[in-house]
Each structure stands twice: as structure tokens, then as C-alpha cells.
Amino acid sequence: MTAATGDTGTSPSENPPPRSGFDRFFEITARGSTLGQEVRGGLATFFTMAYIVVLNPLIIGNAVDGDGKKLAIPALAAATALVAGVMTILMGVVARFPLALAAGLGVNALVAYEIAPQMTWADAMGLVVIEGVIIAILVLTGLRTAVFLAVPTQLKTAIGVGIGLFLALIGFVDAGFVRGGTSSPPLGLGMNGRLVTWPALVFVIGLLFTLVLVVRKVKGAILIGILGSTVLAIIVEAIANVGPAGGPAGKPNGWSLNVPALPEKIVATPDLSLLGNFNVFGSWERAGWVVVLMFVFTLLITDFFDTMGTMVAVGQEGNLLDKSGMPPRTREILLVDSIAAAAGGAASTSSNTSYLESAAGVAEGARTGAANLVTGVLFLLAMFLAPLVVVVPFEAASTALVVVGFLMMTAVRTIDWTDYEIAIPAFLAIVLMPFTYSISNGIGAGVISYVVLKAARGKFREVRPLLYVVALLFILYFARGPLEAAIQ
């Protein structure tokens, strides 16, 4: 448990007996947690990932399918919140693990800009349903867990560290503290190497404020940091009238995602018209079976390994992994995640997956699925309270991502950097996640390099047979561009 949670250092065997049936079911006391910690953790997780209710509709709703049609943004927002809420609660009840789910970033862009233009929206979402069903079958047959076990423990640790760096970079970029350039260097500080905007100032003050709270071991530090940064952002916007960033009416120095202002209304009626709008077989005739199989394979690889990495990282942050690097109820975690993938397609929100931002809740003290009840209910309320959800800008929420990135980075000390056979794969896994903006790319590079280096040393038997298969699949994954070009 991190400094922000007020850890007492007691082991599960030293904890007092459960206080109620609810406590016993979720193992709150057994994992050294309290109901207060779970509530704070659930709140922190929601506030750090609530942006998806706004961002996912913007990504999918601005794309057109093969017939030139768009999906309604209000309906996408309602469906995004609904599926995230239901699946997060299901993860909490079934797996009892503090891992929230929502529409996956990256996968939604793949669906919107690569898959949908070659078919209808219903066909594209049908492929997402197929991918989710396949992953569920892999879980039920034990194959997905077997793959997880085949990955060396230190490489799993590296995956968690890489995700921490990735999470920090996401926070810096979303807040505008780090921006991509059109020329060298590819990344830079603020605008033209300077922090000259009000939103950037809010982020810096909010980050320093949160770090001070963490160092002083204030309970709820990360959540307080988000809320405090949001209040500051609202005050700054009221005085400076900064406005939004990007878009026809936007400014380069504006707020990212949301403009922090008190909403005119609090409640809005959700539009659930997109539920069930999918077609499982239409894409096969429209795009051809070869193209469809390639799309399904890409979705499968991305979802399959992203969740593994996220699950390890969140468990690592909460000291919830066993000696082999496995979190409790791994099979249940993976099964719910696969159901969420199919549910996302069935609701037209794209594949739903486990979220890195769950680590913010764990850093606040969440250790069980009880935190998911809080996060899930807030997502369900977000269907009706959309005006409140869109108050928090990236500049306020991103402070949590940077702090959590640091906390996850601390596990790097457990990797043996003197053993190059594991150190090099660990290094590649760590650096390629933030550098390529993809968890799967980092895991793939780590697995392939581990297998190659072991084979080069003649240590074939030290690599589990299944890991050879995984390495081959990742090679196909990285080569999918040339393969797609060759078969068209």
C-alpha cells in the first residue's frame, strides 16, 4: 500500500475477523482495507476515468461507416456510461478485484477509423462481439491464464513499471504539459518549450499540491488533488475565460476535453437507442473473410494482452499479487473482461476493457471489488448526470495519473538488471509502452526479445512452450501491415 493510503503495514494474517457479511464477501478486512478506503478508491478511479464518457463518443461519433453514416453522440455517451457501470460492478462482484472497465482507447479508434469504413456500424460492432466471445472461450479453456503463467515474473514486473511510465506520459500529454511537435524534437515542454497557458498552470499547481499530500501521507490525497485542481480550474476559467482547446472555435491554449465551469443543469435523460445495434455476420460478406479475420485477430491481440498488463500493474500497486505474479481470482478477472469486450460491441461503444486508471483508486486504498461498486454506480449515474461529469478537465484529472505513474515505477527495483537475459526484455517492455503509446507493443517486444535471447544462449528449456507460440503471434501482430497489404 502506498503512502497515500495510510497503510498500517499489517499482513492479512494479522487482520481482525470480518465485521459483516459484506466485509467477508469482499475480503475487505482480510486484505487490510477499510470501507472508507474502498469508497475513496472507488471515487478516485471514477474521477480519473470519467473522461471516457465524453471522449469515447467523440472518437466514434465523428467517424463514418461504409455507408457514410454516423452514430449519435448523445446515444454513444449514454451507452458508454451504462456498459462501464454494469461491467465495473460485475468485476467487483464476480472477481472482487479493484479493476474498473470502460470502452478501450486505441481499440475504439481502430473500430472507428479502420473497421467501420469497410462495412456498416452494426457489422463493425458485430466483430467486436465475436472477439469478446473468442476471448471468453480462451478464458474458460484455461488458455488465457496459461499464457499469463508462462510470462516470467520479472517480465510481469517490468510490464507494470512500463504501464506506470505510460500512465504518467498520458497524464502529461492530456494536461498539455508535454506536447507532440511537427518536427524535432517529437515531444516538447508545453507550447514551444514553454508553459504559457492557464490550464498548464492549473496542472502544475494541482500536481505539486497532490504530491505534497502524498508525501505528508494524507488519506485521500489523490482524490483531494483531483477535486482541488477542478475547483482551481473553475475559478481560473471564471476569471480568465480561457475556453476549449482544439476544434473550429478552440484555442491552442484552451482546456483539454472539458471546460471547467459550473453546469447550467444537472440531470439529462439518457438515450439508449444504440443497445443491441450489431450484426455478427454482415461484415463477412461486405469486407471479405480474410480482411475480417485480420481485424478480429488485431482486436484479439490488443485486448488479450492489454488486460494482462493492466491486471498485473493494478495488483502490483496494491500488493495483491502472489509469488508467481498472479492476482487473486485471475480466471474471474479475465472472464469478466472478455464479457465486457462483447458487451461493448453489443452496445455500439466498442470493446470494453480493464482500465489503467484503476491504479489511482488502488493508490487511494482500494483493495477489493467493493471499490468497484462505487465506481460502477457513479458511471450509471453519469448517464443522468452528464453535465456534472463534463466539469473536470484533463488538466485536473491528469494529476492523479502522474502520481500513480510514480508509485508504479517504484517496482523497478525488484528487476535483476545484472542478468541481461531478463533485463533487456524488461527494458524493451518498459520503454516501448510509453514510446509507442501501446501496452500490447511493449508486452510483445518484451516477450519476443526474451524468447530470442534465451534461444540464442541455448536455453530453450527455460522458456515455456506456450511462450514460443505467444512470441510467434506477436510477430504476426507486428507484421500485420505488410500482411494486410499482401492479401488485398
Side-chain angles (χ1 to χ4, degrees), residues 43-52 167-168 170-176 199 202-204 206-207 210 221-233 255-258 260 357 360-361 389-405:
L43 287 168
T45 295
F46 173 75
F47 281 113
T48 53
M49 61 184 288
Y51 67 85
I52 196 62
L167 205 56
I170 291 173
F172 284 127
V173 170
D174 286 349
V202 169
F203 169 74
V204 171
L207 178 60
T210 306
I222 293 176
L223 180 58
I224 294 172
I226 295 171
L227 297 178
S229 300
T230 301
V231 171
L232 176 61
W255 300 99
S256 299
L257 187 65
N258 298 318
E357 284 83 349
V389 174
V390 298
V391 168
V392 183
F394 267 146
E395 289 80 3
S398 295
T399 57
L401 303 186
V402 176
V403 174
V404 172

Side-chain angles (χ1 to χ4, degrees), residues 428-471:
L428 292 174
I430 290 171
V431 299
L432 284 179
M433 285 186 198
F435 288 172
T436 66
Y437 236 64
S438 167
I439 297 174
S440 292
N441 289 346
I443 295 176
V447 169
I448 292 173
S449 60
Y450 177 79
V451 170
V452 169
L453 292 177
K454 285 293 185 182
R457 294 293 302 276
K459 299 180 179 180
F460 298 96
R461 293 184 178 180
E462 291 187 12
V463 180
R464 297 195 183 189
L466 189 56
L467 207 58
Y468 287 106
V469 178
V470 173

Side-chain angles (χ1 to χ4, degrees), residues 17-25 29:
R19 300 177 180 178
S20 65
F22 183 85
D23 186 333
R24 184 180 300 106
F25 179 82
T29 301

Side-chain angles (χ1 to χ4, degrees), residues 260-278:
L262 295 177
E264 296 180 359
K265 60 179 182 178
I266 297 177
V267 178
T269 303
D271 178 359
L272 301 178
S273 60
L274 291 177
L275 301 186
N277 185 29
F278 68 96

Side-chain angles (χ1 to χ4, degrees), residues 1-337:
M1 195 177 292
T2 65
T5 64
D7 180 30
T8 59
T10 58
S11 64
S13 60
E14 298 172 344
N15 290 323
R19 300 177 180 178
S20 65
F22 183 85
D23 186 333
R24 184 180 300 106
F25 179 82
F26 285 104
E27 301 176 342
I28 296 174
T29 301
R31 295 187 188 178
S33 183
T34 65
L35 186 58
Q37 286 180 208
E38 299 300 314
V39 172
R40 290 199 308 272
L43 287 168
T45 295
F46 173 75
F47 281 113
T48 53
M49 61 184 288
Y51 67 85
I52 196 62
V53 178
V54 178
L55 187 56
N56 188 55
L58 293 179
I59 292 174
I60 297 179
N62 286 321
V64 297
D65 66 7
D67 293 338
K69 296 181 179 179
K70 290 186 175 182
L71 297 179
I73 288 181
L76 283 169
T80 298
L82 174 63
V83 178
V86 172
M87 290 298 108
T88 296
I89 291 173
L90 186 64
M91 178 69 79
V93 173
V94 174
R96 304 173 205 174
F97 192 71
L99 194 61
L101 302 96
L105 291 174
V107 176
N108 57 4
L110 173 66
V111 172
Y113 299 111
E114 293 188 38
I115 299 179
Q118 300 195 38
M119 55 194 74
T120 67
W121 280 113
D123 295 339
M125 295 304 171
L127 292 186
V128 177
V129 173
I130 292 173
E131 173 254 338
V133 171
I134 292 174
I135 293 182
I137 293 173
L138 295 177
V139 173
L140 294 174
T141 57
L143 182 60
R144 199 175 186 188
T145 303
V147 169
F148 184 77
L149 286 169
V151 178
T153 300
Q154 290 193 62
L155 189 52
K156 291 174 187 171
T157 300
I159 290 170
V161 172
I163 289 175
L165 283 179
F166 182 27
L167 205 56
L169 181 60
I170 291 173
F172 284 127
V173 170
D174 286 349
F177 188 86
V178 172
R179 294 177 186 259
T182 56
S183 59
S184 182
L187 291 176
L189 177 68
M191 300 177 64
N192 299 319
R194 295 181 299 166
L195 297 174
V196 295
T197 68
W198 283 111
L201 178 63
V202 169
F203 169 74
V204 171
I205 294 175
L207 178 60
L208 291 174
F209 173 60
T210 306
L211 290 172
V212 169
L213 295 177
V214 169
V215 170
R216 293 181 64 86
K217 300 183 180 181
V218 175
K219 290 185 177 181
I222 293 176
L223 180 58
I224 294 172
I226 295 171
L227 297 178
S229 300
T230 301
V231 171
L232 176 61
I234 292 173
I235 295 172
V236 168
E237 174 60 23
I239 296 173
N241 192 27
V242 177
K251 310 170 187 176
N253 61 343
W255 300 99
S256 299
L257 187 65
N258 298 318
V259 176
L262 295 177
E264 296 180 359
K265 60 179 182 178
I266 297 177
V267 178
T269 303
D271 178 359
L272 301 178
S273 60
L274 291 177
L275 301 186
N277 185 29
F278 68 96
N279 185 354
V280 173
F281 301 109
S283 58
W284 301 83
E285 296 180 3
R286 183 81 176 255
W289 68 272
V290 175
V291 173
V292 168
L293 286 178
M294 186 60 67
F295 281 144
V296 172
F297 175 75
T298 303
L299 288 169
L300 189 68
I301 289 292
T302 302
D303 263 354
F304 193 102
F305 291 98
D306 272 14
T307 298
M308 284 178 55
T310 302
M311 179 176 66
V312 170
V314 172
Q316 188 171 289
E317 169 64 19
N319 296 322
L320 297 174
L321 304 181
D322 60 21
K323 293 181 180 179
S324 63
M326 296 279 284
R329 296 185 177 87
T330 296
R331 187 169 181 267
E332 287 82 355
I333 294 172
L334 297 176
L335 181 59
V336 174
D337 182 84

